[in-house]
Amino acid sequence: MFSFKKLLKIGLFLSLFGLVALVITYFSLRSDLPSVESLKNLQWQTPMKIYSADGKLMNQFGEKKRIPLTLDEMPKQLINAILATEDDRFYLHFGVDPIGMTRAVIGQLIGQNKGGASTITMQVARNFFLTREQTYIRKIREIFTAFHIEYLLTKDEILALYMNKIPLGHRSFGFGAAAQVYYNKDVKDLTLAQIAVLAGLPKAPSTLNPISRPDRALSRRAVVLQRMLVTNYITRDEFEQAINAPITAEKHGAIIELNAPYAAEMAHQEMIDRYGKEQAYTGGYKVFTTVTSKLQKSAEHAVISNLLNYDLRHGYRGAIKSLRPQANRNDDIKIAEIDPLNVNEINAALTAIESYPPLIPAVVTKVLEQSIEVTLVNNQTIIIDWQGLSWAREYINDDKQGPAPKLANEIVQYADVVYIRENNEEFALSQFPSASSALVSLSPDNGAIKAVVGGFNYKQSQFNRVTQAKRQVGSNIKPFVYSAALDNGFTLASLVNDAPINQSNDITGVVWRPKNSPPVYSGEIRVKRALAESKNVVAVRLFREVGLNKIIPHLASFGFAPDELPRDESLSLGSASLTPLEVATGFATFANNGFLIEPYIIERIEDSFGNIVYQANPAIACDDCSQFENNTQLAAELDPSSESFANTETLQQQTITKEHPLVKAERVISPQNAFLITQALNEAIWGADWSLNPGWQGTGFRGRKLNRRDIAGKTGTTNEAKDAWFSGFSRRIVTTSWIGFDDPSRNLGSSSYNNNLDKNQITGKEFGAKSAQPAWISFMQTALEDLPVEPFMQPEGIVSVRIDKQTGKLTQRTDKSSIFEYFKVGSAPTEYVTKDNSHDIFDNKVESEEIF
């Protein structure tokens, strides 16, 4: 028999031995223990988020979904649920809970699960520094690391680390992300039942989550609620209400507030180039772009609507597929009676069809004489009347369509799977457009990209035609050729012979005959009017007069790569291949009075703590830049179109400091040259003295729809109409629109149907003004809404004199034979016209467009 004293001595000896063993173990493992100092300045591995200039989320990149929150931002019920479930003595122990550990050991000895021994602090140690291997050494390391953490941090700090770090399934880490993934909510908006589901996930997020295993989630939720009830965190009534609530979780992605995938991808790629993929995806960066939500939405609408309208003109290519392929157009009713479609079959078929807004998949379930009934995936039925069907001539090829249909069964049949779209609360038959398009808009003052659309639908094609598609530009090149001519002795009033050209190549024997389109020739014509009418042969003659060796460097000054420009006269008619962004950048030089700007899309980058780690400092197009010395003036001058001046942190937040000094853009042409070309491009839309001579019009006359005199622009069509362009600008915004086929062998062709033009203007051939300009007009209607009318200011060194329209000489007449014209000082004509030309003045209506 051992006396009590002996038992006490043995106990003290064992305790001392255990303490010595613990100290020895600590020192033997100390070098292997992780440093927990990093927890003091922790940077969460959070995904990269791309925002618009006005703070709308455009996309999120990164595998780990995390929304870091402070403890104050987490609801009290969630904190209580975690404490009740994971560590109810968290605020009482020192990192290791002897009571909990003893309970766990006893449970193991008697074969009963009495709960785990790991405290929240120990879980933090494991999640941040250790692995989940089941070994005693790992457990000891975990305990020692927990001691370190408790010494270094407060209990609240440890709990916040745990609630932000813990993996909770479906790539969500922390409860902020889990609330969004499972319930599409902020944590503060969760119900008690939802909180209990999430609080039960740390034990086994893959097998207890409410999406893949709702049955197990239900059982685990009951455990959490029971523990909350026992610990008096909730009342009996709250318990009863929560435990009877259904499991409502569904998987949700990030809430995308602005659909701008091409813009987001541009910023995404720049971030990878800047930081590398791993750091970009885990560094928690918030990337604020220059894109504004108002203009981006308008650009998306403009491109999509214009492509669909183009498609209307070129015929119906048929249904996506038929659910009753044995049916023919003569026995729709018979097939519907013998082998009718059922709801499950329709839903299965439509679920398998990709939806590309605004296109909606549907199944034809009834074909009447001049109307059809279609069924959507939700079993909703819609009647499409003849107005929504009559456009659907049969597509034969790009240049030919079949005759206009007279009956609905000539177009579709029972069980056809089709696309429809809604337009002004009316539904119409539609189809995915076969052509492609792009639109880009930027500030000519500093290059900030305001909107970018690289195609009809990013899900269908990630190819960004704004930056990646180099296409022949057609007559969009002419303003740059004419600009070179003005720097080499020509004026806007210079006469050039508008007559056919026949040039034979002595080596090949091939004769080059560039022609106007339409093939109408005016004889001697003023340079300004030739550009407004897009006269092909005049562009060639100016190119010859200036010479290739001067033309190439001049075009290169607008940012075009000289090595990529053709070294022959076809360059004057647009054989050069450029991207829409390059074209828009070139036109910006005319809009900003002669400066070359560099397009950019990232305005600033913030780290996960909200610190600005990058701020764009673009070169600004200005001679006298003193007005940009403070942020307010900078905002007012450079971005008056922004709809969110008060809360947008874009260009106006740019601070002129030693770190971000004001940078002046390079002047590449004179302000006089830019102004004169702009006047010619304004005439391409408005015409000269249009109010007095309304019959004459330039190729861009449809732009008058905007009812703005402070705009200028140029059409462009390439050979065989493979590409159509329109580029135009006001003083504060420049926009380029392109349409064509990704397959370069196809052309935009001719159409039998046109629903946009006046009957007197209908023409089957596609060209810049008809195919590309409508998207430009649609976008600019929005872009110009908040911009006051701002005439293009006449710079110093420019004079205005009255000239004779036919000869370009000075005149004293004030009738329709004369017009005021601008000249560089010293270049105005000095000779007066001696002949009365008023009876020879006539005004041509330009109905078509050029082809090089």
Side-chain angles (χ1 to χ4, degrees):
M1 295 290 296
F2 286 98
S3 66
F4 175 77
K5 186 178 291 186
K6 286 185 177 181
L7 287 174
L8 182 61
K9 287 181 178 179
I10 292 172
L12 289 174
F13 174 78
L14 291 174
S15 298
L16 182 61
F17 178 80
L19 180 62
V20 171
L22 190 65
V23 171
I24 292 173
T25 303
Y26 170 75
F27 279 101
S28 66
L29 296 177
R30 187 174 61 173
S31 60
D32 295 329
L33 290 177
S35 171
V36 297
E37 291 291 332
S38 58
L39 295 178
K40 271 293 188 182
N41 298 297
L42 180 67
Q43 182 171 347
W44 291 109
Q45 289 189 1
T46 53
M48 173 175 60
K49 295 183 177 181
I50 311 290
Y51 293 90
S52 66
D54 45 328
K56 299 289 193 301
L57 181 64
M58 291 165 28
N59 212 333
Q60 177 174 294
F61 296 91
E63 292 187 2
K64 290 185 177 181
K65 301 169 185 174
R66 180 181 279 116
I67 304 173
L69 300 171
T70 65
L71 209 58
D72 291 337
E73 294 174 314
M74 297 178 190
K76 187 64 176 176
Q77 278 190 329
L78 176 59
I79 295 173
N80 291 340
I82 293 300
L83 294 176
T85 308
E86 296 295 323
D87 191 351
D88 58 352
R89 280 182 295 278
F90 172 70
Y91 281 95
L92 301 177
H93 62 64
F94 47 86
V96 176
D97 183 5
I99 296 175
M101 190 171 290
T102 301
R103 181 182 60 198
V105 171
I106 292 173
Q108 290 291 328
L109 292 175
I110 65 176
Q112 295 181 8
N113 185 3
K114 297 289 186 178
S118 289
T119 64
I120 284 177
T121 311
M122 292 168 69
Q123 291 184 59
V124 169
R126 181 170 63 245
N127 287 331
F128 276 95
F129 302 112
L130 305 171
T131 68
R132 289 184 174 269
E133 62 177 336
Q134 298 295 320
T135 65
Y136 289 109
I137 293 297
R138 195 274 296 165
K139 198 68 178 178
I140 293 172
R141 286 197 181 102
E142 186 178 297
I143 291 171
F144 288 147
T145 306
F147 289 157
H148 274 278
I149 293 172
E150 288 277 348
Y151 175 77
L152 185 68
L153 304 176
T154 67
K155 287 288 188 179
D156 283 353
E157 290 173 330
I158 295 169
L159 185 57
L161 288 174
Y162 172 81
M163 297 183 73
N164 282 307
K165 175 71 173 179
I166 193 75
L168 296 172
H170 289 283
R171 298 190 299 177
S172 64
F173 291 78
F175 289 93
Q180 197 277 320
V181 168
Y182 292 109
Y183 298 109
N184 199 25
K185 289 182 176 182
D186 291 333
V187 287
K188 62 181 176 62
D189 298 323
L190 294 171
T191 66
L192 175 59
Q194 293 167 341
I195 283 173
V197 169
L198 298 187
L201 288 174
K203 180 173 180 156
S206 61
T207 59
L208 294 176
N209 81 75
I211 294 175
S212 56
R213 292 305 301 267
D215 54 334
R216 292 192 177 185
L218 189 67
S219 298
R220 181 62 177 166
R221 183 184 71 177
V223 172
V224 174
L225 289 170
Q226 182 65 40
R227 291 183 182 176
M228 293 183 75
L229 179 65
V230 170
T231 51
N232 295 318
Y233 285 134
I234 59 175
T235 66
R236 171 61 66 175
D237 288 343
E238 289 174 322
F239 172 82
E240 293 294 342
Q241 183 178 357
I243 205 164
N244 291 314
I247 295 291
T248 58
E250 295 179 3
K251 188 173 181 180
H252 299 86
I255 303 173
I256 303 301
E257 300 170 293
L258 175 64
N259 181 41
Y262 292 101
E265 181 58 25
M266 289 171 66
H268 167 223
Q269 286 299 324
E270 186 173 331
M271 287 295 292
I272 291 176
D273 293 341
R274 184 181 294 271
Y275 295 108
K277 192 170 185 178
E278 182 176 355
Q279 184 181 352
Y281 281 9
T282 62
Y285 295 112
K286 292 183 178 179
V287 183
F288 291 85
T289 67
T290 56
V291 170
T292 64
S293 58
K294 180 179 180 179
L295 297 190
Q296 181 62 35
K297 289 177 183 177
S298 177
E300 290 273 354
H301 173 76
V303 168
I304 290 172
S305 296
N306 188 53
L307 270 173
L308 291 174
N309 287 336
Y310 166 84
D311 222 46
L312 282 178
R313 300 195 292 268
H314 289 266
Y316 185 54
R317 297 185 297 278
I320 301 170
K321 66 178 182 178
S322 175
L323 302 182
R324 294 292 183 270
Q326 74 274 21
N328 61 60
R329 298 187 186 279
N330 297 318
D331 60 5
D332 285 344
I333 297 176
K334 182 179 178 181
I335 292 295
E337 292 175 349
I338 297 174
D339 191 11
L341 298 167
N342 60 60
V343 173
N344 292 336
E345 187 177 6
I346 291 173
N347 284 336
L350 294 180
T351 302
I353 301 298
E354 194 70 64
S355 178
Y356 301 106
L359 302 181
I360 307 168
V363 173
V364 178
T365 47
K366 192 177 292 183
V367 180
L368 303 175
E369 186 174 359
Q370 286 193 329
S371 65
I372 62 173
E373 178 189 88
V374 297
T375 300
L376 309 186
V377 72
N378 57 4
N379 206 32
Q380 177 188 2
T381 58
I382 291 171
I383 300 296
I384 298 179
D385 60 23
W386 191 240
Q387 186 176 355
L389 296 170
S390 59
W391 67 270
R393 296 169 179 261
E394 181 188 2
Y395 169 85
I396 298 175
N397 57 46
D398 291 335
D399 290 299
K400 188 176 181 181
Q401 300 82 45
K406 296 180 180 179
L407 298 172
N409 64 8
E410 298 175 27
I411 304 168
V412 296
Q413 60 183 329
Y414 178 76
D416 276 354
V417 182
V418 299
Y419 281 121
I420 66 171
R421 67 163 171 151
E422 186 178 7
N423 187 22
N424 297 324
E425 299 183 354
E426 297 289 335
F427 285 90
L429 180 68
S430 192
Q431 61 189 350
F432 193 95
S434 57
S436 298
S437 185
L439 185 145
V440 61
S441 184
L442 50 83
S443 164
D445 290 297
N446 69 342
I449 295 174
K450 297 299 182 184
V452 54
V453 181
F456 181 80
N457 187 280
Y458 185 81
K459 185 165 50 176
Q460 184 270 336
S461 172
Q462 291 78 52
F463 184 65
N464 187 349
R465 294 153 189 87
V466 165
T467 59
Q468 295 174 291
K470 284 186 174 289
R471 304 296 294 240
Q472 289 188 330
V473 295
S475 292
N476 254 206
I477 202 70
K478 288 178 183 174
F480 307 102
V481 173
Y482 278 66
S483 171
L486 294 184
D487 272 0
N488 285 275
F490 287 88
T491 71
L492 294 182
S494 297
L495 295 181
V496 182
N497 189 18
D498 179 29
I501 295 175
N502 290 299
Q503 176 180 320
S504 177
N505 188 310
D506 295 335
I507 299 176
T508 64
V510 176
V511 178
W512 186 47
R513 296 187 178 92
K515 298 178 181 179
N516 290 340
S517 180
V520 175
Y521 301 89
S522 306
E524 289 193 329
I525 187 174
R526 287 176 290 113
V527 163
K528 182 178 183 180
R529 184 155 178 176
L531 179 55
E533 290 189 29
S534 200
K535 294 286 190 177
N536 286 341
V537 296
V538 173
V540 175
R541 294 186 191 280
L542 290 175
F543 186 96
R544 289 178 175 180
E545 288 293 327
V546 176
L548 180 67
N549 291 335
K550 292 182 179 179
I551 290 283
I552 295 291
H554 191 82
L555 267 60
S557 67
F558 291 90
F560 307 144
D563 294 341
E564 297 179 10
L565 298 176
R567 301 274 166 166
D568 55 53
E569 292 178 351
S570 69
L571 174 60
S572 65
L573 302 181
S575 61
S577 293
L578 304 170
T579 67
L581 183 58
E582 289 173 326
V583 173
T585 302
F587 273 85
T589 297
F590 298 127
N592 65 28
N593 299 317
F595 296 91
L596 178 63
I597 48 89
E598 182 176 349
Y600 73 103
I601 198 164
I602 294 181
E603 183 58 43
R604 77 178 189 281
I605 303 169
E606 295 180 1
D607 64 17
S608 59
F609 299 103
N611 302 312
I612 297 177
V613 295
Y614 168 78
Q615 174 68 58
N617 190 35
I620 300 172
C622 57
D623 273 324
D624 178 11
C625 299
S626 59
Q627 70 268 35
F628 301 139
E629 289 300 325
N630 65 69
N631 292 344
T632 302
Q633 290 173 334
L634 187 66
E637 288 292 329
L638 296 190
D639 194 20
S641 65
S642 174
E643 69 273 22
S644 306
F645 255 54
N647 55 20
T648 295
E649 299 181 41
T650 54
L651 179 61
Q652 59 267 32
Q653 295 299 319
Q654 179 181 330
T655 304
I656 307 304
T657 64
K658 290 182 179 179
E659 291 76 21
H660 297 95
L662 189 144
V663 179
K664 292 178 62 173
E666 178 188 4
R667 175 173 287 287
V668 293
I669 60 172
S670 69
Q672 296 80 22
N673 185 296
F675 176 78
L676 294 175
I677 293 297
T678 297
Q679 291 303 305
L681 297 179
N682 176 264
E683 184 164 312
I685 294 176
W686 281 102
D689 283 347
W690 183 77
S691 58
L692 298 177
N693 302 285
W696 183 84
Q697 52 199 17
T699 58
F701 73 92
R702 292 169 179 82
R704 295 174 193 163
K705 180 180 179 181
L706 296 171
N707 198 30
R708 295 281 294 241
R709 287 283 186 156
D710 60 332
I711 55 174
K714 183 71 189 74
T715 52
T717 311
T718 63
N719 193 30
E720 298 179 359
K722 291 181 181 295
D723 302 272
W725 299 76
F726 192 87
S727 296
F729 54 90
S730 72
R731 175 60 189 88
R732 300 298 170 182
I733 194 161
V734 56
T735 304
T736 288
S737 168
W738 167 85
I739 186 172
F741 286 93
D742 291 333
D743 179 358
S745 67
R746 295 187 63 179
N747 63 73
L748 293 169
S750 302
S751 62
S752 306
Y753 172 82
N754 193 307
N755 65 335
N756 294 321
L757 305 180
D758 182 89
K759 288 183 179 180
N760 296 324
Q761 299 165 354
I762 290 178
T763 173
K765 191 165 59 175
E766 298 286 347
F767 48 87
K770 178 179 175 181
S771 310
Q773 192 181 15
W776 182 88
I777 293 172
S778 174
F779 172 77
M780 291 296 278
Q781 281 178 321
T782 300
L784 296 173
E785 278 179 354
D786 301 322
L787 284 170
V789 173
E790 187 175 2
F792 300 106
M793 298 301 295
Q794 178 178 333
E796 294 182 3
I798 291 289
V799 296
S800 176
V801 299
R802 186 181 289 275
I803 63 168
D804 175 63
K805 284 184 178 181
Q806 189 172 36
T807 65
K809 296 179 180 180
L810 295 173
T811 182
Q812 294 180 338
R813 301 185 65 89
T814 58
D815 56 22
K816 67 177 183 180
S817 68
S818 67
I819 188 175
F820 277 101
E821 189 56 272
Y822 292 104
F823 297 88
K824 293 180 185 177
V825 170
S827 68
T830 56
E831 182 182 354
Y832 279 86
V833 65
T834 56
K835 179 182 176 183
D836 179 5
N837 295 310
S838 59
H839 63 283
D840 293 328
I841 299 297
F842 62 93
D843 295 293
N844 298 321
K845 178 180 289 189
V846 178
E847 297 182 352
S848 189
E849 171 54 328
E850 66 286 358
I851 299 177
F852 97 83

